[in-house]
Amino acid sequence: MCFQQKMIHSLFLINCSGDIFLEKHWKSVVSQSVCDYFFEAQEKAIDVENVPPVISTPHHYLISIYRDKIFFVSVIQTEVPPLFVIEFLHRVADTFQDYFGECSETAIKDNVVIVYELLEEMLDNGFPLATESNILKELIKPPTILRSVVNSITGSSNVGDTLPTGQLSNIPWRRAGVKYTNNEAYFDVIEEIDAIIDKSGSTVFAEIQGVIDSCIKLSGMPDLSLSFMNPRLLDDVSFHPCIRFKRWESERVLSFIPPDGNFRLISYRVSSQNLVAIPVYVKHMISFKENTSSGRFDVTIGPKQNMGKTVEGVVMTVHMPKAVLNMNLTATQGSYTFDPVTKVLTWDVGKITPQKLPNLKGMVNLQSGAPKPEENPSLNIQFKIQQLAISGLKVNRLDMYGEKYKPFKGVKYITKAGKFQVRT
Amino acid sequence: MTDSKYFTTTKKGEIFELKAELNSDKKEKKKEAVKKVIASMTVGKDVSALFPDVVNCMQTDNLELKKLVYLYLMNYAKSQPDMAIMAVNTFVKDCEDPNPLIRALAVRTMGCIRVDKITEYLCEPLRKCLKDEDPYVRKTAAVCVAKLHDINAQLVEDQGFLDTLKDLISDSNPMVVANAVAALSEIAESHPSSNLLDLNPQSINKLLTALNECTEWGQIFILDCLANYMPKDDREAQSICERVTPRLSHANSAVVLSAVKVLMKFMEMLSKDLDYYGTLLKKLAPPLVTLLSAEPELQYVALRNINLIVQKRPEILKHEMKVFFVKYNDPIYVKLEKLDIMIRLASQANIAQVLAELKEYATEVDVDFVRKAVRAIGRCAIKVEQSAERCVSTLLDLIQTKVNYVVQEAIVVIKDIFRKYPNKYESVIATLCENLDSLDEPEARAAMIWIVGEYAERIDNADELLESFLEGFHDESTQVQLQLLTAIVKLFLKKPTETQELVQQVLSLATQDSDNPDLRDRGYIYWRLLSTDPVAAKEVVLAEKPLISEETDLIEPTLLDELICYIGTLASVYHKPPSAFVEGSRGVLHKGLPPRTGSIEGPESPDTAPSGEPAADQPSVIPTQGDLLGDLLNLDLGPPVTGPPMATSTVPMGAVDLLGGGLDSLMGDESEGLRSDVGGSPAIGGSGSFTAAPSSTAPTNVGAPLGSGLGDLFDLTAGVGTLSGSYVAPKTVWLPAMKAKGLEISGTFSRQVGSISMDLVLTNKALQVMSDFAIQFNRNSFGLAPAAPLQVHAPLAPNQSVEISLPLNTVGSVMKMDPLNNLQVAVKNNIDVFYFSTLYPLHILFVEDGKMERQMFLATWKDIPNENETQFQIKDCSLNADAVSSKLQGSNIFTIAKRNVEGQDMLYQSLKLTNGIWVLAELRIQPSNPSFMDLELSLKCRAPEVSQYIYQAYETILKN
């Protein structure tokens, strides 16, 4: 059996214990045994996160993603852009999330027929067909408790029987005839700081990954334009297809007819060349002694460059070296846990008050006889700052054209730690 | 109420139960039953036995039920072809349904049923659907053509579907255009020869318009299709680039990478002086960096591609080093790729930062990553000379940590640093020696032993150290054994007095107690060397080693160019052309970057070269005195020619300068460009291999064989490496007797040990004695001239022949000839003056020092513009790569590197002409049938006019 196949041939969903719990074939059926190559790679990688995304087997290529404790493994037979496949798989996972509220093995099994219908709708002959959630929802209605009750009484189905309205218009992301009693448009400016701080506290690398997530519930065909106080900040931007690129190029205004509901309007990066403010600092003293099989641990977290806002939701996680048996620490604030199996120390700090800085210190017990650990653990810090976009990005105004009603508008800012690591 | 209920089974046979439910009268029950069947299918259970029952449910008004049945059909139709026919009627009917959703669903499903019998019924509905009023149906039908083509290509062509599909490229709906492009690309891929995607400026314009309007997936198809287009000039390339650039801001990373591919490819055509070129470079960096903030799987693919991009155009990301810094919780596959790119971007400007990072990584937990980080420090030292010292001290710090695998890696890379910077860092040897005992990996042990042997004179207890290794000689791996043998011989040659016993011990271990032929042979060679001629042994074993180069891990320029055309594909992830790994690769379609424009008015197209030889090869006799040769023999040929050739003294006369102007192109730009680069440094065999002990492989100048059983050992090597001079063609008749009053001249050209000669046979076919011979050349392309007069000592009696070897030099006057290797000769005797012209093979002009250093080769190859590259085919050569290489070497074509790519051998060669022109060659050797090879020769030279003649020389040498 050797005919030419382009794009995705089959899809297997595999859980962490290695069970294939769903398979879908777009052409002929490929035996599950092809997944053995995947399991082999998985075994070699030890950690689930380390399974390489592209695996070659004698007759196929396996391109996989790992999301929500599920491996989405696609089978490819010929040259195909791997990013295309990976993007598509993530889109599949997004759709499950969207439909079932969570992308989990249980949710997928509980809705297996819908899952099958969705997959069939999303891919035809390896070509993605409909991946916009708006369109999909018109073709296949998401399950709700109410609907399944109604369906079982009336005998109606969860499959739409007309062509989705947006599918072929020039704005495939929006369906026609949207109607709301309360018209509202909300924008969340969310910025995440990715940073590597070295031992001495200086910044090795820092950048801001920002997104504007929108929730738009507006009737009809609204045409929006969103402008910023300081659009110059945005020099590296990825847009939702709805945005008119020319308008942005010439006037630095985001002009668009929005999809209905939740979507990501733009994502942007403020790179390390610009100065990225670092809102917290960490003082640390972690040392291990060879002969006594013990060590000291002393970490203090304090605020810095936080623009007068409170840093909250602070959590520190540390992967301690293998030789660490246990930790006896005292936290001046919040609580800590240490998992002796995974060697992960988690300290849930909460809010930082500048008057009394949170501190965690105490003894580390090492395995006796083992050599003292060479590597110093990196500290992973999470935090949140409400009402602040750390880059300084500010929305100026939102205007609506094309519809007559007055919408309710709102913008929310939040800054979070992304991959924020302090080396010790 | 969830679907998991469909998985529950009953005690009675499940299939039996389902069968009953499928045939139930109640609609609702039927639907539930089909759902159960589908649920079983999703976990890979075989429910094909229910085929007729499920198909029976197909005729229904309930769309959901219909869809479910269709899902089932697609899975099992192949296994039940006869049953599948039952479904045809419903399909045909559904294709006429007033609801476009149902029409599309029917045509889509029909295409998925890979049963031959069904396909013929599919044609009519498909034809209708391709012209459907609803674009949703049209776009579905477009994809269906590709499906059908996959099942029965002939049918699709006969039915004219391909033309309909081509028409759809002009459809008013962008989604239809995108799907038509996708379908056509897929069909075109399986038929590389067909000219399906006939891209021209008009269709490109349509595609670019559709690009702005269609969905993200459609954009990928269109961009990939655009990438195959070859713009006619740089202006068109620029305008396409301008319209593609906005795609770089797309949220879908596959769109971004496809756009990057188009831009990288078309950029090749833009002049670097253009403002737009700079703008484009700047625009490429941010999207590439943004890809690195995506999910790890996307990052991985992006990094593999960035690896190619930084090799092709390092300037794009040279300021973005920091984004490649590794985070401790990156997956290992991302970490390793980032590290690789960091080294590629390392430069004097950022080396401090890079080293600090690498040092940090070297203390991480993951062993593989730590090892690679340590190696990376070594690569930095070799790449950025200014940083070498800092790298060495960093490595020493790491050695102090005493972490076993770190120490071992560090020692391996320090050995390489020694080879790159000899006599600079040997002070660290003492520190290295302290760690001798902890080394347990063969590579590290071998490296350490190499160091001890190489610097034996500076290590007081070198003999003790080596002796300690010798104890477990037989337990060591071959790598270590070989190294130990060489190191001890080195030690002996350096300190002969104290180490005689040691060397005898190792030689006997190697020759008598070992089963390994390599080790035994090496042992014997050393033994023989040492016992016959210790001086020669010293010369061989302690010979100066070529410096290693930092560029060993770069991808070949031509392969790199090809891979750039495959950005975003699996090829770019594996860094191999698709033909190397895609199963059943259809017609190997090599892609190449477009040439920079300006080549249009360039020299003759290379394609014309290989043919047209027979006529040119024949010696042509110049019939009458006059025209071109005017000046040559207007001179007095009375007395025998003495002293320097007269051509140098001739005064240019009108006719002669006909070709004078063309000469500048041959000499001028070359001398500015390459010569200054080369700087006259003799290129020693810089083959840059990291394996130590090249000293052991050159037994050529060993004295006469000693008696005993060892004689045959040397007989083997005798014929191999000896230079026997270049290939000499058999003599051909240049001047037939009837044209020259009885004098017949035949001859050939040869080159031996640096001197060129013209070997002539003069035959007297007249009835009278001939005497007073003299010879002269007209000015020619490479200044060939007789280095001595033509000496025929005695008069030539009738029916007598005389063989003469006339030495030639290349200091004569230069004039570009056409063909380039044309030589016009005048011969005089006591009877008359005769003229003839002949073509000399170019390889007589290949000089002995034509071996370019590897690094220089890479740099020069990149530096010579692409339009100077010409390609030739040499068919049916019976030699393999090694034979080719040694044969060419005999004629001073030097192989600099050999690689095996996708099962084909690639040779990289250089040669230099007497006038200093360098020619770089890439020879791809692929078997055409079991005993013959097809050779593909790519030549790059600053004076592309010579390429054709170089090719002829190659062919002459290889075919004889």
Side-chain angles (χ1 to χ4, degrees):
Chain A
M1 189 163 14
C2 178
F3 26 80
Q4 303 299 339
Q5 274 119 1
K6 206 181 159 80
M7 304 307 167
I8 300 166
H9 189 295
S10 302
L11 174 71
F12 293 96
L13 300 189
I14 301 174
N15 64 17
C16 279
S17 31
D19 306 320
I20 302 172
F21 66 90
L22 186 118
E23 59 182 74
K24 164 86 181 125
H25 308 276
W26 279 271
K27 291 204 171 168
S28 55
V29 179
V30 175
S31 155
Q32 288 194 350
S33 62
V34 75
C35 293
D36 293 348
Y37 295 98
F38 178 81
F39 295 134
E40 212 172 275
Q42 191 183 11
E43 211 161 290
K44 227 191 296 175
I46 305 164
D47 209 351
V48 282
E49 269 109 20
N50 287 339
V51 182
V54 184
I55 298 168
S56 75
T57 81
H59 301 290
H60 300 92
Y61 291 88
L62 303 178
I63 298 183
S64 64
I65 65 164
Y66 180 66
R67 277 253 318 242
D68 304 302
K69 305 213 166 93
I70 300 171
F71 286 102
F72 292 71
V73 182
S74 61
V75 182
I76 307 298
Q77 204 162 33
T78 54
E79 177 60 274
V80 65
L83 274 191
F84 181 102
V85 180
I86 294 172
E87 278 278 1
F88 178 79
L89 294 177
H90 277 294
R91 213 59 65 84
V92 170
D94 290 342
T95 307
F96 291 168
Q97 173 86 36
D98 191 27
Y99 263 72
F100 315 128
E102 57 167 2
C103 177
S104 67
E105 185 181 349
T106 347
I108 291 171
K109 277 186 171 165
D110 283 351
N111 297 288
V112 68
V113 175
I114 295 189
V115 164
Y116 232 58
E117 288 169 342
L118 280 173
L119 290 174
E120 188 56 36
E121 213 53 67
M122 292 177 83
L123 205 67
D124 177 20
N125 194 41
F127 302 127
L129 202 58
T131 52
E132 284 283 343
S133 124
N134 273 304
I135 294 175
L136 283 171
K137 284 187 177 158
E138 282 184 67
L139 286 166
I140 298 155
K141 298 199 179 72
T144 59
I145 295 168
L146 181 66
R147 180 164 312 118
S148 48
V149 173
V150 171
N151 283 357
S152 59
I153 296 166
T154 62
S156 67
S157 74
N158 61 345
V159 170
D161 54 8
T162 51
L163 205 56
T165 47
Q167 175 112 4
L168 288 149
S169 66
N170 287 347
I171 38 169
W173 52 85
R174 190 173 180 88
R175 61 196 167 95
V178 181
K179 209 153 172 47
Y180 289 101
T181 37
N182 296 321
N183 287 295
E184 42 193 27
Y186 296 111
F187 297 92
D188 289 351
V189 179
I190 303 164
E191 297 195 337
E192 292 192 354
I193 306 174
D194 285 352
I196 302 175
I197 313 288
D198 74 3
K199 288 190 207 8
S200 61
S202 51
T203 308
V204 177
F205 161 81
E207 67 178 20
I208 297 169
Q209 304 284 354
V211 296
I212 300 183
D213 281 346
S214 317
C215 173
I216 294 190
K217 296 180 173 170
L218 298 174
S219 313
M221 274 288 162
D223 195 335
L224 303 179
S225 40
L226 184 72
S227 64
F228 299 95
M229 307 279 266
N230 38 12
R232 295 247 154 264
L233 276 172
L234 303 176
D235 59 346
D236 181 4
V237 198
S238 300
F239 296 119
H240 188 277
C242 69
I243 291 171
R244 300 183 178 100
F245 187 75
K246 286 229 170 78
R247 206 52 212 285
W248 171 258
E249 283 282 272
S250 56
E251 298 167 51
R252 298 271 143 182
V253 167
L254 296 177
S255 154
F256 56 99
I257 294 174
D260 185 39
N262 295 309
F263 65 101
R264 177 154 296 172
L265 184 62
I266 63 169
S267 54
Y268 58 94
R269 188 175 63 95
V270 180
S271 61
S272 41
Q273 269 85 350
N274 308 24
L275 277 176
V276 176
I278 303 293
V280 295
Y281 70 87
V282 179
K283 276 203 297 195
H284 50 83
M285 233 291 297
I286 302 170
S287 61
F288 306 107
K289 273 191 229 124
E290 185 105 49
N291 22 27
T292 61
S293 303
S294 69
R296 284 182 54 205
F297 186 95
D298 186 346
V299 172
T300 308
I301 303 181
K304 181 175 126 179
Q305 292 181 296
N306 54 353
M307 322 286 171
K309 302 275 202 254
T310 315
V311 182
E312 53 187 33
V314 180
V315 178
M316 182 184 81
T317 39
V318 191
H319 280 260
M320 298 302 287
K322 283 200 186 65
V324 174
L325 278 186
N326 219 330
M327 302 182 79
N328 284 317
L329 308 172
T330 332
T332 62
Q333 183 185 333
S335 59
Y336 83 94
T337 54
F338 176 75
D339 182 343
V341 181
T342 59
K343 314 289 181 198
V344 175
L345 167 71
T346 312
W347 178 25
D348 191 342
V349 185
K351 201 186 285 184
I352 300 181
T353 36
Q355 293 75 28
K356 192 168 164 293
L357 296 180
N359 169 275
L360 180 70
K361 77 172 168 190
M363 295 295 287
V364 181
N365 298 325
L366 298 178
Q367 210 173 329
S368 58
K372 98 183 161 84
E374 279 310 322
E375 73 271 12
N376 288 318
S378 286
L379 314 177
N380 214 24
I381 314 281
Q382 287 161 269
F383 55 80
K384 258 193 299 208
I385 306 172
Q386 303 283 1
Q387 294 312 317
L388 173 73
I390 197 88
S391 69
L393 187 74
K394 263 202 140 49
V395 171
N396 186 20
R397 54 183 295 147
L398 176 72
D399 297 306
M400 187 180 78
Y401 307 93
E403 295 290 337
K404 292 213 171 63
Y405 55 84
K406 274 241 176 293
F408 190 78
K409 305 179 271 194
V411 181
K412 209 167 78 184
Y413 299 92
I414 188 166
T415 296
K416 293 186 208 171
K419 288 185 171 172
F420 195 97
Q421 307 186 344
V422 182
R423 291 174 178 164
T424 63
Chain B
M1 279 260 283
T2 70
D3 293 350
S4 46
K5 65 175 186 253
Y6 300 127
F7 290 112
T8 52
T9 53
T10 56
K11 279 184 211 144
K12 260 188 177 178
E14 178 180 45
I15 299 282
F16 177 80
E17 192 113 316
L18 281 171
K19 215 178 176 78
E21 284 176 39
L22 284 169
N23 290 313
S24 155
D25 294 337
K26 287 188 188 140
K27 261 191 185 171
E28 204 44 39
K29 200 152 197 185
K30 258 190 188 174
K31 196 161 88 183
E32 291 298 292
V34 176
K35 282 191 178 179
K36 278 184 200 164
V37 173
I38 300 281
S40 307
M41 218 165 77
T42 63
V43 288
K45 267 187 209 157
D46 185 5
V47 281
S48 59
L50 295 167
F51 199 88
D53 309 285
V54 176
V55 171
N56 274 339
C57 302
M58 193 173 164
Q59 273 203 359
T60 168
D61 299 334
N62 185 314
L63 187 61
E64 187 181 19
L65 183 56
K66 197 182 266 292
K67 273 189 163 183
L68 293 171
V69 174
Y70 277 11
L71 276 176
Y72 177 89
L73 271 177
M74 282 187 244
N75 236 21
Y76 289 117
K78 181 93 182 169
S79 55
Q80 308 270 344
D82 295 329
M83 295 285 192
I85 292 286
M86 291 163 51
V88 166
N89 267 337
T90 321
F91 279 132
V92 174
K93 212 177 101 210
D94 283 353
C95 284
E96 307 265 343
D97 197 280
N99 185 345
L101 195 63
I102 294 182
R103 292 204 296 276
L105 188 64
V107 77
R108 183 171 133 208
T109 312
M110 263 179 111
C112 293
I113 297 180
R114 311 184 55 89
V115 175
D116 287 337
K117 284 183 194 162
I118 286 202
T119 48
E120 45 193 288
Y121 295 100
L122 179 57
C123 291
E124 278 323 301
L126 178 58
R127 195 187 316 282
K128 260 184 222 151
C129 288
L130 279 167
K131 303 226 159 101
D132 200 284
E133 53 174 19
D134 195 296
Y136 182 75
V137 180
R138 289 204 298 277
K139 102 180 176 150
T140 314
V143 175
C144 189
V145 176
K147 295 179 196 169
L148 189 59
H149 186 271
D150 193 21
I151 306 168
N152 191 342
Q154 196 55 46
L155 183 72
V156 169
E157 275 160 47
D158 295 346
Q159 296 280 332
F161 285 141
L162 293 182
D163 293 323
T164 322
L165 203 51
K166 277 193 236 174
D167 293 342
L168 286 183
I169 290 190
S170 314
D171 199 277
S172 56
N173 186 293
M175 268 320 297
V176 178
V177 177
N179 276 18
V181 169
L184 280 172
S185 320
E186 189 186 336
I187 295 172
E189 219 168 291
S190 54
H191 284 75
S193 51
S194 68
N195 202 13
L196 268 183
L197 277 167
D198 178 26
L199 296 175
N200 53 48
Q202 288 75 41
S203 58
I204 288 291
N205 199 33
K206 272 179 210 146
L207 291 181
L208 285 167
T209 312
L211 183 62
N212 290 328
E213 293 168 4
C214 69
T215 68
E216 48 197 321
W217 313 108
Q219 292 184 15
I220 299 170
F221 295 127
I222 293 185
L223 287 168
D224 286 348
C225 176
L226 279 177
N228 290 328
Y229 176 63
M230 192 68 78
K232 63 179 190 302
D233 55 23
D234 52 344
R235 287 185 45 199
E236 193 185 3
Q238 177 173 344
S239 90
I240 295 175
C241 286
E242 279 165 358
R243 295 177 67 177
V244 166
T245 323
R247 297 302 120 207
L248 293 175
S249 300
H250 202 285
N252 184 320
S253 59
V255 175
V256 174
L257 206 56
S258 289
V260 168
K261 164 163 62 188
V262 175
L263 296 175
M264 282 294 288
K265 202 174 163 190
F266 290 1
M267 228 170 146
E268 202 61 19
M269 294 184 70
L270 302 178
S271 154
K272 292 194 177 177
D273 314 325
L274 222 59
D275 285 345
Y276 182 71
Y277 181 85
T279 321
L280 200 53
L281 275 186
K282 269 191 217 121
K283 282 195 173 158
L284 277 169
L288 288 174
V289 172
T290 300
L291 291 179
L292 299 182
S293 52
E295 288 82 359
E297 301 93 2
L298 296 169
Q299 281 187 49
Y300 171 73
V301 176
L303 285 164
R304 291 297 284 171
N305 280 282
I306 289 173
N307 199 327
L308 295 174
I309 293 169
V310 295
Q311 286 187 61
K312 180 71 187 165
R313 297 196 184 280
E315 62 272 32
I316 294 177
L317 287 169
K318 69 177 172 204
H319 299 303
E320 302 288 349
M321 171 64 90
K322 284 186 173 178
V323 299
F324 298 103
F325 285 180
V326 171
K327 302 194 177 82
Y328 85 90
N329 46 6
D330 283 336
I332 181 75
Y333 56 80
V334 168
K335 283 183 177 174
L336 296 176
E337 289 305 317
K338 280 187 172 175
L339 201 55
D340 218 34
I341 294 173
M342 279 173 69
I343 298 173
R344 298 214 191 279
L345 288 175
S347 67
Q348 204 182 338
N350 56 25
I351 193 74
Q353 270 181 332
V354 173
L355 270 183
E357 280 297 301
L358 293 176
K359 198 173 171 187
E360 190 71 39
Y361 304 160
T363 62
E364 278 218 27
V365 193
D366 193 309
V367 178
D368 283 341
F369 181 56
V370 170
R371 283 175 184 276
K372 193 152 180 188
V374 177
R375 290 219 173 191
I377 297 175
R379 275 167 71 187
C380 283
I382 290 166
K383 182 160 187 216
V384 185
E385 184 160 1
Q386 294 82 356
S387 75
E389 195 157 346
R390 224 174 329 184
C391 294
V392 171
S393 78
T394 308
L395 288 170
L396 286 179
D397 287 351
L398 291 173
I399 289 177
Q400 298 305 344
T401 64
K402 306 268 178 206
V403 178
N404 193 292
Y405 52 85
V406 173
V407 173
Q408 309 212 40
E409 286 297 325
I411 285 177
V412 172
V413 297
I414 285 179
K415 181 204 77 190
D416 291 341
I417 295 178
F418 283 170
R419 287 207 53 193
K420 170 77 180 179
Y421 309 108
N423 303 317
K424 247 179 133 173
Y425 300 111
E426 283 73 12
S427 54
V428 308
I429 291 176
T431 323
L432 302 185
C433 290
E434 288 165 18
N435 294 287
L436 219 54
D437 301 332
S438 64
L439 308 180
D440 53 13
E441 290 163 22
E443 201 183 354
R445 285 172 83 84
M448 191 64 219
I449 293 169
W450 181 86
I451 292 170
V452 174
E454 187 67 16
Y455 299 102
E457 68 273 26
R458 307 184 204 192
I459 305 170
D460 293 335
N461 60 343
D463 48 345
E464 287 170 34
L465 294 177
L466 293 176
E467 201 171 355
S468 70
F469 280 106
L470 205 54
E471 280 160 20
F473 189 78
H474 288 299
D475 302 330
E476 299 284 2
S477 71
T478 312
Q479 189 184 11
V480 179
Q481 289 176 334
L482 286 168
Q483 209 51 259
L484 197 53
L485 171 61
T486 303
I488 292 179
V489 172
K490 282 184 192 165
L491 172 71
F492 172 71
L493 289 167
K494 288 175 180 179
K495 299 181 182 172
T497 46
E498 313 113 71
T499 56
Q500 203 151 1
E501 204 176 309
L502 194 61
V503 79
Q504 264 163 4
Q505 205 183 336
V506 77
L507 286 174
S508 84
L509 278 172
T511 53
Q512 287 161 24
D513 303 343
S514 168
D515 296 333
N516 184 315
D518 286 345
L519 185 64
R520 241 177 13 226
D521 285 359
R522 196 187 278 194
Y524 277 128
I525 288 166
Y526 282 143
W527 203 327
R528 178 75 59 86
L529 261 175
L530 293 172
S531 51
T532 30
D533 189 351
V535 181
K538 214 164 183 165
E539 268 172 37
V540 171
V541 179
L542 302 180
E544 202 171 308
K545 277 164 284 296
L547 298 183
I548 58 168
S549 129
E550 78 259 32
E551 309 288 13
T552 43
D553 62 331
L554 286 182
I555 295 176
E556 263 84 23
T558 39
L559 178 60
L560 180 62
D561 282 356
E562 191 179 352
L563 288 175
I564 290 287
C565 301
Y566 287 108
I567 283 177
T569 66
L570 277 175
S572 70
V573 173
Y574 286 102
H575 291 185
K576 285 178 193 161
S579 50
F581 62 89
V582 174
E583 194 171 77
S585 61
R586 23 195 151 173
V588 186
L589 238 184
H590 283 288
K591 293 193 186 180
L593 289 176
R596 215 166 277 282
T597 42
S599 62
I600 298 140
E601 56 280 288
E604 70 273 72
S605 94
D607 307 354
T608 60
S611 60
E613 232 176 295
D617 239 357
Q618 293 297 316
S620 61
V621 174
I622 298 157
T624 49
Q625 186 170 348
D627 50 286
L628 268 190
L629 279 182
D631 72 318
L632 179 56
L633 297 166
N634 266 348
L635 29 102
D636 180 12
L637 278 168
V641 183
T642 51
M646 290 180 197
T648 54
S649 61
T650 49
V651 183
M653 294 162 72
V656 181
D657 262 336
L658 271 180
L659 296 164
L663 196 65
D664 299 343
S665 64
L666 196 60
M667 295 291 293
D669 51 355
E670 183 278 329
S671 48
E672 282 160 26
L674 231 159
R675 259 203 181 148
S676 53
D677 289 347
V678 175
S681 65
I684 29 167
S687 55
S689 80
F690 276 85
T691 49
S695 42
S696 58
T697 53
T700 39
N701 49 356
V702 182
L706 285 175
S708 84
L710 285 180
D712 52 357
L713 188 63
F714 289 93
D715 289 345
L716 276 176
T717 55
V720 177
T722 47
L723 290 168
S724 54
S726 12
Y727 164 71
V728 182
K731 294 193 177 71
T732 50
V733 176
W734 285 343
L735 182 69
M738 50 184 295
K739 301 253 178 170
K741 300 184 178 163
L743 174 66
E744 185 191 77
I745 301 180
S746 56
T748 184
F749 294 91
S750 67
R751 181 185 184 95
Q752 228 133 18
V753 217
S755 53
I756 311 169
S757 53
M758 184 176 189
D759 302 325
L760 296 167
V761 176
L762 307 181
T763 309
N764 183 353
K765 291 198 171 169
L767 294 171
Q768 54 176 313
V769 175
M770 292 178 180
S771 61
D772 299 335
F773 286 96
I775 192 165
Q776 198 162 6
F777 296 174
N778 192 5
R779 299 199 292 167
N780 54 67
S781 309
F782 294 91
L784 276 177
L790 182 67
Q791 303 222 327
V792 183
H793 294 292
L796 197 58
N799 278 328
Q800 249 195 335
S801 295
V802 59
E803 278 199 44
I804 302 157
S805 178
L806 179 72
L808 306 182
N809 61 28
T810 52
V811 298
S813 299
V814 175
M815 178 174 77
K816 188 178 175 186
M817 301 298 288
D818 189 19
L820 208 60
N821 56 342
N822 191 8
L823 181 68
Q824 297 175 331
V825 184
V827 172
K828 171 212 160 260
N829 62 11
N830 58 335
I831 301 166
D832 204 339
V833 180
F834 312 103
Y835 308 95
F836 63 91
S837 74
T838 179
L839 300 173
Y840 48 90
L842 223 62
H843 66 259
I844 61 165
L845 301 170
F846 299 173
V847 297
E848 276 67 26
D849 64 342
K851 182 157 186 173
M852 200 177 251
E853 221 181 298
R854 197 185 171 97
Q855 238 176 296
M856 175 74 71
F857 181 88
L858 282 171
T860 314
W861 184 278
K862 273 194 200 161
D863 202 42
I864 297 179
N866 279 340
E867 69 260 29
N868 282 13
E869 185 175 342
T870 39
Q871 261 147 9
F872 305 95
Q873 292 279 340
I874 301 171
K875 292 257 184 235
D876 301 330
C877 169
S878 56
L879 305 169
N880 66 17
D882 290 334
V884 164
S885 175
S886 73
K887 197 152 189 186
L888 292 172
Q889 171 127 10
S891 294
N892 295 337
I893 298 172
F894 298 93
T895 302
I896 293 163
K898 179 184 160 190
R899 300 242 341 214
N900 191 293
V901 180
E902 36 162 324
Q904 306 174 355
D905 283 311
M906 308 272 282
L907 298 177
Y908 296 88
Q909 302 179 317
S910 74
L911 62 93
K912 191 165 98 175
L913 299 176
T914 46
N915 59 358
I917 292 180
W918 283 92
V919 179
L920 311 189
E922 184 199 62
L923 198 56
R924 183 195 289 264
I925 300 170
Q926 47 197 355
S928 62
N929 67 45
S931 56
F932 286 110
M933 307 284 181
D934 274 351
L935 274 51
E936 204 180 299
L937 177 67
S938 302
L939 293 172
K940 257 192 163 185
C941 175
R942 284 185 205 273
E945 304 94 301
V946 303
S947 298
Q948 177 186 353
Y949 303 95
I950 305 282
Y951 154 71
Q952 285 169 8
Y954 261 89
E955 187 158 64
T956 318
I957 297 164
L958 291 174
K959 290 278 172 77
N960 290 290

